[in-house]
Amino acid sequence: MLLYVTVGTNDLDGAGAFYDPVLATLGYRRQRQDETEIGYSADGDIRCRFWVVTPFNGKPATFGNGATIALVAETRAAVDAFHAAALAQGGIDEGAPGLRPFHAHFYGAWVRDLDGNKLSAVCERPE
């Protein structure tokens, strides 16, 4: 359903330093960059699916209250690695890795990046 998602940043270099190791835990890497944005995707994908951008209107980036971007993790270990990498890069814990009551195999973790954007990694496979 989604073509791509963006998160805003006020420090593109800092955001790249955060996202490079965090998204690598889920199989994504930096594929494109210019002075206003960084694009991430899996190798072989035809386009970047996750973008970190400075706002086009030139105003400061803000985050949405109630907005979360959930990223697919192939394994529970990848969820754990995502959470650990985010915290190691200065992210804020918004929910440690674990099973949630949404269904029997919903294993997720939540963090905020350096700009306050809320992200999660979720594995829906049985262990």
Side-chain angles (χ1 to χ4, degrees), residues 31-122:
Q31 303 283 358
R32 292 189 48 198
Q33 179 175 357
D34 64 26
E35 63 279 351
T36 64
E37 61 190 4
I38 301 171
Y40 292 88
S41 68
D43 287 338
D45 199 342
I46 61 169
R47 71 177 65 228
C48 293
R49 304 291 177 171
F50 187 91
W51 290 91
V52 182
V53 303
T54 57
F56 182 74
N57 65 6
K59 295 182 180 179
T62 60
F63 58 87
N65 185 22
T68 302
I69 296 172
L71 303 168
V72 173
E74 295 298 322
T75 65
R76 293 180 183 186
V79 172
D80 297 345
F82 165 88
H83 188 260
L87 297 184
Q89 295 303 316
I92 297 171
D93 179 25
E94 286 283 331
L99 288 168
R100 299 302 194 275
F102 308 125
H103 64 71
H105 303 297
F106 193 104
Y107 187 90
W110 289 259
V111 298
R112 288 199 185 266
D113 71 7
L114 305 179
D115 289 286
N117 298 298
K118 191 172 182 182
L119 308 158
S120 68
V122 177

